[in-house]
Amino acid sequence: LGKKYQVIRPRMPNKEDSKYEEWSINFERHFPHFKNGIVLIGESLGGIFLAKYLSEKKFPKRIAATYLVCPPFDNTLPSDDLVGGFQLKSNLSKLEKQSKKIHLLFSKNDECVPPAQAEKYRKKLKTANIIIYPHIKGHFRIATFPEIVKMIKKDVKK
């Protein structure tokens, strides 16, 4: 992104036995460092964490954009169980109110979180921009992602 961007990348606790409440406490510890116009990015379980958090709680800063990268939507995935309190409630409208720009990014070839999950988000998030990338292989295990960098710079500029 370049030097004019500050990146804060919280390490979430207990990756092998993740609990939503523990992640919330850890996330909130970073609030003093956040500024208005923040861009939030969550990948996989981090994506559903942000969706749940922002649909249930008031975020203390103005959000420029939220990026949910290959987030699961529910417990229908063969490889994952959304245990630990990560299940979404039926109403995600608070997420849309807090983040005017919501981008959901999926890989067409993701075996962990297939693009069918995107359709479930589409029904709940009417304003979300959903992109399914045909060229990204698997569960976004990529070294560079120039598409998201370009999108972030555009969202921050506005």
Short mmCIF file of all heavy atoms in Angstrom, two decimals, residues 106-130:
data_model
loop_
_atom_site.label_atom_id
_atom_site.label_comp_id
_atom_site.label_asym_id
_atom_site.label_seq_id
_atom_site.Cartn_x
_atom_site.Cartn_y
_atom_site.Cartn_z
N PHE A 106 -14.05 -13.71 -3.14
CA PHE A 106 -13.99 -15.16 -3.11
C PHE A 106 -13.17 -15.67 -4.29
O PHE A 106 -13.04 -15.01 -5.30
CB PHE A 106 -15.40 -15.77 -3.21
CG PHE A 106 -16.24 -15.55 -1.98
CD1 PHE A 106 -16.96 -14.38 -1.82
CD2 PHE A 106 -16.31 -16.53 -1.00
CE1 PHE A 106 -17.74 -14.18 -0.68
CE2 PHE A 106 -17.09 -16.34 0.13
CZ PHE A 106 -17.81 -15.16 0.29
N SER A 107 -12.66 -16.88 -4.15
CA SER A 107 -11.98 -17.58 -5.24
C SER A 107 -12.95 -18.60 -5.83
O SER A 107 -13.63 -19.32 -5.08
CB SER A 107 -10.74 -18.30 -4.72
OG SER A 107 -10.29 -19.24 -5.66
N LYS A 108 -13.01 -18.67 -7.13
CA LYS A 108 -13.87 -19.64 -7.80
C LYS A 108 -13.46 -21.06 -7.44
O LYS A 108 -14.27 -21.98 -7.42
CB LYS A 108 -13.81 -19.43 -9.31
CG LYS A 108 -14.69 -20.35 -10.09
CD LYS A 108 -14.60 -20.07 -11.58
CE LYS A 108 -15.50 -21.04 -12.33
NZ LYS A 108 -15.37 -20.89 -13.77
N ASN A 109 -12.18 -21.25 -7.12
CA ASN A 109 -11.63 -22.58 -6.87
C ASN A 109 -11.35 -22.88 -5.40
O ASN A 109 -10.54 -23.73 -5.08
CB ASN A 109 -10.32 -22.73 -7.65
CG ASN A 109 -10.51 -22.41 -9.12
OD1 ASN A 109 -11.31 -23.02 -9.77
ND2 ASN A 109 -9.79 -21.42 -9.61
N ASP A 110 -12.02 -22.19 -4.49
CA ASP A 110 -11.76 -22.37 -3.06
C ASP A 110 -12.47 -23.62 -2.56
O ASP A 110 -13.70 -23.70 -2.60
CB ASP A 110 -12.26 -21.13 -2.30
CG ASP A 110 -11.80 -21.10 -0.85
OD1 ASP A 110 -11.54 -22.18 -0.27
OD2 ASP A 110 -11.71 -20.00 -0.30
N GLU A 111 -11.71 -24.57 -2.09
CA GLU A 111 -12.29 -25.81 -1.58
C GLU A 111 -12.73 -25.68 -0.12
O GLU A 111 -13.56 -26.45 0.35
CB GLU A 111 -11.29 -26.98 -1.72
CG GLU A 111 -10.02 -26.87 -0.90
CD GLU A 111 -9.00 -25.84 -1.38
OE1 GLU A 111 -9.05 -25.43 -2.56
OE2 GLU A 111 -8.16 -25.43 -0.56
N CYS A 112 -12.21 -24.70 0.60
CA CYS A 112 -12.59 -24.50 2.01
C CYS A 112 -13.87 -23.67 2.14
O CYS A 112 -14.76 -24.03 2.90
CB CYS A 112 -11.46 -23.78 2.77
SG CYS A 112 -9.96 -24.74 2.87
N VAL A 113 -13.92 -22.54 1.46
CA VAL A 113 -15.09 -21.66 1.48
C VAL A 113 -15.50 -21.41 0.03
O VAL A 113 -15.03 -20.47 -0.61
CB VAL A 113 -14.79 -20.33 2.21
CG1 VAL A 113 -16.04 -19.46 2.24
CG2 VAL A 113 -14.29 -20.58 3.63
N PRO A 114 -16.36 -22.28 -0.51
CA PRO A 114 -16.74 -22.15 -1.91
C PRO A 114 -17.57 -20.89 -2.18
O PRO A 114 -18.16 -20.33 -1.27
CB PRO A 114 -17.56 -23.42 -2.17
CG PRO A 114 -17.99 -23.89 -0.84
CD PRO A 114 -16.98 -23.41 0.15
N PRO A 115 -17.60 -20.46 -3.44
CA PRO A 115 -18.31 -19.23 -3.80
C PRO A 115 -19.82 -19.28 -3.50
O PRO A 115 -20.47 -18.25 -3.47
CB PRO A 115 -18.07 -19.06 -5.30
CG PRO A 115 -17.11 -20.10 -5.70
CD PRO A 115 -16.89 -21.03 -4.57
N ALA A 116 -20.37 -20.45 -3.25
CA ALA A 116 -21.78 -20.54 -2.87
C ALA A 116 -22.06 -19.75 -1.59
O ALA A 116 -23.17 -19.25 -1.38
CB ALA A 116 -22.19 -22.01 -2.69
N GLN A 117 -21.03 -19.61 -0.76
CA GLN A 117 -21.18 -18.80 0.45
C GLN A 117 -21.43 -17.33 0.10
O GLN A 117 -22.13 -16.62 0.82
CB GLN A 117 -19.94 -18.93 1.34
CG GLN A 117 -19.68 -20.33 1.86
CD GLN A 117 -20.66 -20.73 2.95
OE1 GLN A 117 -20.66 -20.19 4.03
NE2 GLN A 117 -21.50 -21.70 2.63
N ALA A 118 -20.90 -16.88 -1.03
CA ALA A 118 -21.10 -15.49 -1.47
C ALA A 118 -22.57 -15.21 -1.71
O ALA A 118 -23.07 -14.12 -1.38
CB ALA A 118 -20.29 -15.21 -2.73
N GLU A 119 -23.28 -16.17 -2.27
CA GLU A 119 -24.70 -15.98 -2.55
C GLU A 119 -25.50 -15.80 -1.27
O GLU A 119 -26.49 -15.07 -1.23
CB GLU A 119 -25.24 -17.14 -3.39
CG GLU A 119 -24.66 -17.18 -4.79
CD GLU A 119 -24.78 -15.84 -5.52
OE1 GLU A 119 -25.87 -15.22 -5.49
OE2 GLU A 119 -23.78 -15.39 -6.11
N LYS A 120 -25.09 -16.46 -0.22
CA LYS A 120 -25.77 -16.31 1.08
C LYS A 120 -25.55 -14.91 1.63
O LYS A 120 -26.48 -14.30 2.19
CB LYS A 120 -25.29 -17.38 2.04
CG LYS A 120 -25.66 -18.77 1.57
CD LYS A 120 -25.11 -19.83 2.49
CE LYS A 120 -25.47 -21.22 1.95
NZ LYS A 120 -25.07 -22.29 2.84
N TYR A 121 -24.34 -14.38 1.48
CA TYR A 121 -24.08 -13.00 1.90
C TYR A 121 -24.88 -12.02 1.03
O TYR A 121 -25.40 -11.03 1.54
CB TYR A 121 -22.59 -12.67 1.81
CG TYR A 121 -21.79 -13.09 3.01
CD1 TYR A 121 -21.00 -14.24 2.99
CD2 TYR A 121 -21.81 -12.34 4.19
CE1 TYR A 121 -20.26 -14.62 4.10
CE2 TYR A 121 -21.08 -12.72 5.30
CZ TYR A 121 -20.31 -13.86 5.26
OH TYR A 121 -19.58 -14.24 6.35
N ARG A 122 -24.97 -12.31 -0.27
CA ARG A 122 -25.68 -11.41 -1.18
C ARG A 122 -27.13 -11.20 -0.74
O ARG A 122 -27.67 -10.11 -0.85
CB ARG A 122 -25.64 -11.97 -2.61
CG ARG A 122 -26.20 -11.01 -3.65
CD ARG A 122 -26.23 -11.58 -5.07
NE ARG A 122 -25.01 -12.20 -5.53
CZ ARG A 122 -23.97 -11.56 -6.07
NH1 ARG A 122 -24.01 -10.25 -6.20
NH2 ARG A 122 -22.91 -12.21 -6.48
N LYS A 123 -27.76 -12.22 -0.21
CA LYS A 123 -29.15 -12.12 0.24
C LYS A 123 -29.28 -11.23 1.47
O LYS A 123 -30.32 -10.62 1.69
CB LYS A 123 -29.70 -13.51 0.54
CG LYS A 123 -29.90 -14.34 -0.70
CD LYS A 123 -30.37 -15.73 -0.36
CE LYS A 123 -30.47 -16.58 -1.63
NZ LYS A 123 -30.78 -17.96 -1.33
N LYS A 124 -28.24 -11.13 2.28
CA LYS A 124 -28.29 -10.36 3.53
C LYS A 124 -27.68 -8.97 3.39
O LYS A 124 -28.05 -8.06 4.13
CB LYS A 124 -27.55 -11.11 4.64
CG LYS A 124 -28.13 -12.45 4.97
CD LYS A 124 -29.45 -12.30 5.68
CE LYS A 124 -30.00 -13.65 6.09
NZ LYS A 124 -31.27 -13.52 6.80
N LEU A 125 -26.71 -8.82 2.49
CA LEU A 125 -26.00 -7.54 2.32
C LEU A 125 -26.29 -7.01 0.91
O LEU A 125 -25.55 -7.28 -0.03
CB LEU A 125 -24.50 -7.74 2.54
CG LEU A 125 -24.08 -8.22 3.92
CD1 LEU A 125 -22.60 -8.58 3.94
CD2 LEU A 125 -24.39 -7.16 4.98
N LYS A 126 -27.35 -6.27 0.79
CA LYS A 126 -27.83 -5.80 -0.52
C LYS A 126 -26.86 -4.83 -1.20
O LYS A 126 -26.82 -4.74 -2.42
CB LYS A 126 -29.20 -5.13 -0.38
CG LYS A 126 -30.25 -6.04 0.22
CD LYS A 126 -30.52 -7.24 -0.64
CE LYS A 126 -31.63 -8.08 -0.05
NZ LYS A 126 -31.69 -9.42 -0.53
N THR A 127 -26.06 -4.10 -0.42
CA THR A 127 -25.16 -3.10 -1.01
C THR A 127 -23.74 -3.63 -1.23
O THR A 127 -22.89 -2.90 -1.72
CB THR A 127 -25.10 -1.84 -0.12
OG1 THR A 127 -24.54 -2.19 1.15
CG2 THR A 127 -26.47 -1.23 0.07
N ALA A 128 -23.49 -4.86 -0.85
CA ALA A 128 -22.12 -5.39 -0.93
C ALA A 128 -21.68 -5.63 -2.37
O ALA A 128 -22.47 -6.02 -3.23
CB ALA A 128 -22.03 -6.70 -0.14
N ASN A 129 -20.41 -5.37 -2.60
CA ASN A 129 -19.76 -5.66 -3.87
C ASN A 129 -19.13 -7.04 -3.73
O ASN A 129 -18.22 -7.24 -2.94
CB ASN A 129 -18.69 -4.60 -4.14
CG ASN A 129 -17.84 -4.91 -5.34
OD1 ASN A 129 -18.31 -5.47 -6.32
ND2 ASN A 129 -16.57 -4.56 -5.26
N ILE A 130 -19.64 -8.02 -4.49
CA ILE A 130 -19.13 -9.38 -4.40
C ILE A 130 -18.36 -9.71 -5.67
O ILE A 130 -18.88 -9.56 -6.77
CB ILE A 130 -20.28 -10.38 -4.18
CG1 ILE A 130 -20.97 -10.07 -2.84
CG2 ILE A 130 -19.76 -11.82 -4.21
CD1 ILE A 130 -22.20 -10.91 -2.55
#
